[in-house]
Amino acid sequence: MIDWKECISKRFVKEAKTDENVINSLVKTSKDKIYSNDKLELDKFTASTKITIVYDSLREILEALAIKKGFKIYNHECFCAFLEEVCQDKFYSQEFDKFRKIRNQINYYGKNIVPDEARIIIKEIFELRRQILSKYF
């Protein structure tokens, strides 16, 4: 996994002003994705799509958190480094990395996820999202 210093040196991260409007907008967009996810029935056709939607919702919360801490992150892997090294939370980092890999398998390798597996993954993503919101927002 890439570390925070490498993220900065490769310009995957830059310093940013804390902007409450952007933070609030990202949190709202994240909520909108949860709403959209809830509208979509879980079946063999939508399982992978629903995972991608809730992953995006989680990532938007992490973008808001990064801005809150003064950073703009341009690489999903750097969110792992951010969580581990800036937020000092290895568990959150490992969980996000697990979901990042699942999302990449879906988006880039056409992995098919069955509804029962998707239900578990979605529940875990929701729980991580809830924990991060409760700790930082």
Side-chain angles (χ1 to χ4, degrees):
M1 183 171 71
I2 191 168
D3 69 13
W4 189 243
K5 285 181 184 178
E6 187 176 354
C7 288
I8 292 168
S9 71
K10 289 187 173 181
R11 299 180 186 210
F12 295 145
V13 173
K14 71 176 186 178
E15 288 187 14
K17 282 188 194 177
T18 299
D19 185 329
E20 287 300 320
N21 290 330
V22 172
I23 292 167
N24 293 335
S25 179
L26 285 164
V27 171
K28 181 190 178 308
T29 303
S30 173
K31 288 178 187 174
D32 291 347
K33 287 204 169 109
I34 297 300
Y35 177 81
S36 297
N37 173 69
D38 291 344
K39 293 285 188 189
L40 194 58
E41 183 180 334
L42 177 64
D43 60 30
K44 68 181 184 179
F45 301 106
T46 63
S48 296
T49 301
K50 286 177 69 76
I51 289 170
T52 301
I53 290 170
V54 297
Y55 171 87
D56 283 345
S57 174
L58 171 60
R59 185 188 41 76
E60 286 168 341
I61 293 300
L62 294 178
E63 286 183 30
L65 176 58
I67 290 170
K68 189 173 188 176
K69 292 196 174 269
F71 300 102
K72 175 68 179 156
I73 299 174
Y74 297 97
N75 174 305
H76 291 221
E77 207 172 348
C78 290
F79 282 111
C80 300
F82 169 75
L83 287 166
E84 184 166 342
E85 297 178 47
V86 176
C87 298
Q88 297 291 302
D89 202 312
K90 189 170 186 157
F91 174 76
Y92 289 172
S93 173
Q94 290 172 338
E95 286 294 288
F96 180 74
D97 196 43
K98 174 176 76 175
F99 302 134
R100 181 188 66 79
K101 288 174 181 173
I102 292 168
R103 179 252 187 200
N104 285 353
Q105 290 172 344
I106 292 167
N107 283 3
Y108 305 122
Y109 303 103
K111 179 176 172 106
N112 186 40
I113 309 274
V114 298
D116 287 340
E117 184 182 4
R119 191 173 287 108
I120 293 165
I121 294 166
I122 291 166
K123 182 178 177 186
E124 290 175 353
I125 292 172
F126 277 151
E127 180 57 22
L128 180 60
R129 182 183 177 278
R130 186 199 64 75
Q131 288 175 11
I132 291 170
L133 280 168
S134 128
K135 182 171 183 176
Y136 294 104
F137 292 93

